[in-house]
């Protein structure tokens, strides 16, 4: 067997800090790095690793099941991504917290794309912004770094002149798909 991995071994951003990247954001970055849609990459990873079915992998990406919950499906999805990349992604999920706290209503389920801090996204500058695991907690209402209320993806207070044309709107987690902030 080859030492090459199926996918690039991207670093888990913010690893070891309170600003660690969420598993869903990591996967979106991975798909972006491979010039693929997340659903396509999920099916490919599932097929090549055998850790879960392609349908189960796609449901994790579309948040039908939720990638942060720490369920058996989340562990299988994380394991499949780790096999495909060689990266250690244990810190990108809430798995390690499940023994200490109740998992019920732990994550924010408003939309598939989640919430974000507009200041964190703006401060990313030329770097690709990423979604924080902390932003997935339902009880977290503000950014721990900036004390700014988290915005729901899809909410945009940008003036009309800052709204991007439809063909230029991004589809990354933590990036407003209306104005790109």
């Amino acid at each position: 067997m080859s030492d090459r991995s199926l996918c690039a071994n991207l670093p888990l951003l913010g690893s070891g800090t309170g600003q660690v990247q969420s598993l869903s954001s990591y996967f979106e970055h991975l798909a972006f790095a491979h010039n693929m849609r997340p659903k396509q990459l999920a099916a490919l990873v599932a097929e090549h690793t055998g850790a879960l079915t392609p349908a189960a992998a796609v449901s994790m990406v579309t948040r039908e099941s939720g990638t942060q919950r720490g369920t058996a499906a989340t562990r299988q999805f994380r394991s499949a991504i780790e096999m495909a990349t060689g990266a250690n992604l244990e810190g990108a999920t809430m798995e390690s917290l499940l023994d200490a706290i109740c998992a019920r209503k732990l994550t924010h389920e408003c939309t598939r794309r989640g919430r974000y801090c507009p200041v964190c996204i703006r401060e990313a500058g030329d770097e690709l912004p990423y979604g924080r695991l902390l932003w997935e907690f339902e009880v977290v209402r503000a950014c721990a770094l900036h004390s700014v209320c988290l915005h729901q993806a899809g909410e945009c207070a940008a003036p009309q002149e800052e709204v991007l044309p439809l063909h230029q709107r991004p589809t990354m987690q933590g990036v407003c798909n209306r104005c790109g902030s």
Side-chain angles (χ1 to χ4, degrees), residues 19-67:
Q19 298 298 308
V20 67
Q21 185 174 26
S22 68
L23 183 62
S24 55
S25 176
Y26 180 89
F27 194 76
E28 287 174 353
H29 277 203
L30 193 61
F32 182 78
H34 289 281
N35 198 29
M36 297 178 81
R37 294 180 186 270
K39 287 182 183 181
Q40 292 171 308
L41 184 59
L44 179 70
V45 166
E47 181 183 323
H48 281 275
T49 63
L52 68 167
T53 67
V58 169
S59 78
M60 294 301 291
V61 171
T62 58
R63 293 203 188 202
E64 292 168 17
S65 302
T67 57

Side-chain angles (χ1 to χ4, degrees), residues 62-79:
T62 58
R63 293 203 188 202
E64 292 168 17
S65 302
T67 57
Q68 311 313 331
R69 292 248 174 198
T71 63
T74 301
R75 285 189 292 279
Q76 289 173 331
F77 186 62
R78 179 180 58 82
S79 175

Side-chain angles (χ1 to χ4, degrees), residues 102-177:
C102 177
R104 192 177 189 170
K105 305 260 318 164
L106 185 62
T107 59
H108 198 70
E109 297 184 44
C110 289
T111 70
R112 184 185 84 75
R113 291 175 40 92
R115 302 178 304 162
Y116 66 96
C117 168
V119 179
C120 285
I121 301 305
R122 208 172 12 258
E123 287 180 350
D126 291 338
E127 298 291 319
L128 189 60
Y130 68 96
R132 308 319 196 262
L133 179 61
L134 191 59
W135 298 344
E136 299 283 340
F137 284 88
E138 184 173 351
V139 297
V140 175
R141 304 284 181 190
C143 175
L145 291 177
H146 302 107
S147 301
V148 172
C149 286
L150 296 177
H151 289 223
Q152 185 65 44
E155 279 182 10
C156 181
Q160 188 59 36
E161 60 270 9
E162 292 181 17
V163 175
L164 297 171
L166 286 175
H167 68 281
Q168 291 181 347
R169 293 185 181 179
T171 58
M172 295 290 292
Q173 179 180 12
V175 179
C176 177
N177 66 350

